[in-house]
Amino acid sequence: MGHSPPHARIRPRLAATVYGLVGLTLTCGVLAPGAQAAADAVPGTSTTPAATTEPQATTPVAKAEAEQSASSKARATKQPVPVPELTTETDTVTALPDGTMSLKRTVAPARTKKTGKWVDLDPTLKPSTDGKVRPISTTDDLVLGGGGDNMLASMTTGGRTLTLTWPTTLPRPVLDGAGALYPGVLPDVDLKVTAAEQGGFAHTLIVKTPDAARNPKLATLKLGTAGTGLTVAPEAGGALVAKDADGSRVFAAPVPQMWDSRTTAKTSTARTANAAPSAADVGEVPASELASTAQRPGARATHADLRTSVDKGSVTLSADTGLLTSPDTVFPVYIDPSWSRPAAMWGWVQSAYETTPGYGRTDYQPGIGYQRWRDRVGIERSFFRVSVDGLAGKDVLSASFNVKQVDSAMFSCTDSPQPVSLKAVSDTLTTSTNWNNQPSGASEWASGSFPGSNADAHCAPRLLDFSITDQIAARTHWSSVTFGLFGNETQSTSNNGFKRVSRTAADTFLSVSYNTPPNPPTNLRTDPAPVNGSGANNCGYIGRLNPDVGRLRLMADRNDLDGDDGDVWFALNEMNQGGREVWNSGWTSWGANGATANADVPSTNSSPAAPTAGASRAATADANPAGPTAATSPSTAPSPPSPASPAPTTP
């Protein structure tokens, strides 16, 4: 290196800023002879949080390390590689061979941990060695009675337990999937208990004959209750709740219902206030909506609410004796209370039931659009709260919201697709959400038209897929977003746009493909190195270089969390000339991840004829299929050109 004139020295200072790409800034000032220039660059700040002792990869650093390890394996094997450290009740993450990550996040928990391993939820009931009955895997613990005593069911969450007992000794149950049938709990009356995948349950009395319906023990049924850390209390309209000492709702039961097995319209059917035609006025009712089951009433079933009362240690259910003894009643009759842990992750509202919350109902799957089949017809909407937590700082390459359609009024599997809109709504979803207090402020994010799914026509369920890439990419700083699904709401006997969607947690999810931007550059330095530095605001000086033999090299180390290769761009500006750019390297390959990037500033640019201030800046871009966009620091500096699209990819 040649000697620099003593009157012109360059003072470097380093800073880093993270955007969609990573910026490296070397801001330089001029010293007048014998004076020290003021520093005007902002020092870099670390975005790495303090380490925690959490066993899973829940910190940004631990998540990044897990992603990088899986990404390296995916590249090497050219196969998708799961990232088990990022698995949660709702999330699975997969590293793809192209360097991106794929996230599937369900609205409600879709798995739980058993003996240290994640397993998918499965409410299938199995006998236990202690004589009780338990589901294979549910979010909360559920235990059903195995017969021989009066235990009905026990639910546990967070160390709090609610136990219900039957008035008499229960027989041994017959198990079938998620159902346990206790035969003959009263003459011609069976009891069916159905486990839910989140750990709740429904217990349905199946009244087979008119004689059984006249049994006084059926008209008023008292169940024993016992709670560990819980107290059972009534709620408005006949609903029940189990609260802890702080008054929080731990378990809840919606207003219990009963219904018969009618499949034909009555001679006169009252119109509802929403002015739509009744089921008696319309054409053929789909068979899938017609027959009553232990889980739900048929489209033309007669139904009524039960009355409830709560005493210390018991809950009393009073059936509608008018429905039980009416000559028009068609047997069997079903009486259906249910319990679950409230969690406002989804909701369902019906204009035909303006004040009835849809969350805890077990009769039908949630609906969207105008439903014209049942005795009480009207508009239905479904709502979902989806977490977007953990996406901050990610480059969202694609995002979609998906929900499984399980039934529809339109029989066709391929023709006559029906419209559905996905709208962002106010974050007011609760387990008490009903038609009169549903989320508002709907703003359409996506829409589509989808063919039918209907067991009667042998149409398989299908995913309704809504692309929302731009909206999610702009809201990665949010904690959650609440969606509403709106169908064709035209109140007409020719409207076949009604659809039903699945309650199963794994069937409703957010799918996101993302790339993690590179880390901020580290070990920022120059060659020649600065000398005579002291203190945070005095990094030292570099003498002016001899134009004939000298060169100024700018260097930084790089580590991409995904393990991507990347590009680099350097530029030199004269700060005392209004920031005029005097040199840039253009986008060139940084090379393999972890390599040192460097750029040699030509001597004609690094050593102008007169003393000047200079600022060198750099941007880095990693390889992701969508092509990166440039960001620089300081933000007032001119931006580099957009990187080539697509960005370099690993073979």
Side-chain angles (χ1 to χ4, degrees), residues 596-613:
T596 296
N598 62 77
D600 289 345
V601 182
S603 58
T604 54
N605 299 111
S606 61
S607 299
T612 62

Side-chain angles (χ1 to χ4, degrees), residues 200-467:
F201 67 96
H203 50 105
T204 306
L205 284 166
I206 305 172
V207 185
K208 301 176 183 179
T209 64
D211 286 343
R214 288 189 285 269
N215 189 328
K217 294 181 179 179
L218 187 65
T220 302
L221 183 67
K222 180 175 285 190
L223 303 180
T225 60
T228 302
L230 297 173
T231 301
V232 178
E235 288 198 313
L240 301 169
V241 64
K243 298 182 179 181
D244 63 14
D246 297 330
S248 299
R249 301 168 80 245
V250 179
F251 298 111
V255 179
Q257 292 186 310
M258 55 187 296
W259 59 87
D260 76 348
S261 297
R262 175 171 293 279
T263 58
T264 59
K266 294 182 179 180
T267 54
S268 62
T269 304
R271 292 286 183 92
T272 57
N274 53 38
S278 73
D281 301 319
V282 299
E284 180 185 358
V285 179
S288 58
E289 297 262 333
L290 191 58
S292 291
T293 69
Q295 280 69 50
R296 54 149 182 84
R300 291 176 176 169
T302 303
H303 45 85
D305 293 342
L306 276 70
R307 299 187 309 277
T308 60
S309 61
V310 177
D311 296 315
K312 184 177 182 180
S314 68
V315 169
T316 300
L317 306 174
S318 299
D320 186 311
T321 55
L323 192 155
L324 286 174
T325 60
S326 171
D328 290 334
T329 296
V330 179
F331 289 86
V333 170
Y334 302 92
I335 304 175
D336 175 45
S338 62
W339 285 89
S340 64
R341 176 164 58 94
M345 295 167 287
W346 64 274
W348 171 32
V349 301
Q350 301 167 282
S351 64
Y353 301 88
E354 295 179 344
T355 60
T356 301
Y359 175 78
R361 295 186 61 174
T362 59
D363 44 8
Y364 276 96
Q365 306 276 36
I368 48 178
Y370 175 61
Q371 182 277 120
R372 65 184 180 93
W373 304 114
R374 301 177 69 186
D375 184 58
R376 296 177 69 174
V377 299
I379 298 169
E380 302 189 15
R381 297 167 180 166
S382 295
F383 298 96
F384 305 91
R385 178 181 289 117
V386 186
S387 170
V388 292
D389 188 49
L391 294 178
K394 305 294 187 183
D395 291 331
V396 174
L397 309 178
S398 67
S400 65
F401 181 74
N402 307 264
V403 59
K404 182 175 286 187
Q405 170 185 279
V406 294
D407 203 358
S408 60
M410 176 57 67
F411 277 22
S412 173
C413 304
T414 56
D415 300 328
S416 303
Q418 301 296 306
V420 180
S421 293
L422 179 74
K423 300 181 180 182
V425 297
S426 60
D427 188 20
T428 56
L429 185 64
T430 72
T431 55
S432 299
T433 292
N434 57 42
W435 182 263
N436 286 348
N437 70 350
Q438 61 184 289
S440 59
S443 173
E444 185 170 280
W445 276 23
S447 63
S449 292
F450 305 92
S453 295
N454 195 292
D456 303 336
H458 309 290
C459 293
R462 70 176 74 237
L463 280 181
L464 310 186
D465 185 344
F466 301 91
S467 176

Side-chain angles (χ1 to χ4, degrees), residues 526-613:
T526 64
D527 183 19
V531 296
N532 299 326
S534 63
N537 294 321
N538 183 355
C539 300
Y541 307 97
I542 298 175
R544 176 164 302 213
L545 306 175
N546 186 312
D548 297 326
V549 298
R551 60 104 172 94
L552 174 63
R553 173 167 292 180
L554 312 177
M555 295 177 290
D557 296 337
R558 170 189 179 274
N559 177 42
D560 182 78
L561 297 178
D562 296 328
D564 289 334
D565 295 347
D567 286 354
V568 64
W569 178 88
F570 286 100
L572 183 68
N573 296 77
E574 287 185 321
M575 302 308 290
N576 66 343
Q577 299 294 326
R580 179 177 67 90
E581 182 178 284
V582 296
W583 173 84
N584 75 72
S585 65
W587 284 104
T588 59
S589 175
W590 192 318
N593 181 44
T596 296
N598 62 77
D600 289 345
V601 182
S603 58
T604 54
N605 299 111
S606 61
S607 299
T612 62

Side-chain angles (χ1 to χ4, degrees), residues 130-188:
D130 61 0
K132 307 300 182 184
V133 174
R134 290 175 171 83
I136 292 176
S137 57
T138 53
T139 304
D140 292 330
D141 291 333
L142 174 66
V143 181
L144 304 183
D149 57 28
N150 67 342
M151 179 188 172
L152 175 60
S154 180
M155 299 179 295
T156 301
T157 184
R160 297 160 298 183
T161 299
L162 175 65
T163 300
L164 276 71
T165 55
W166 197 252
T168 59
T169 298
L170 287 169
R172 183 179 299 277
V174 178
L175 305 183
D176 182 12
L181 184 71
Y182 299 84
V185 294
L186 290 171
D188 282 335

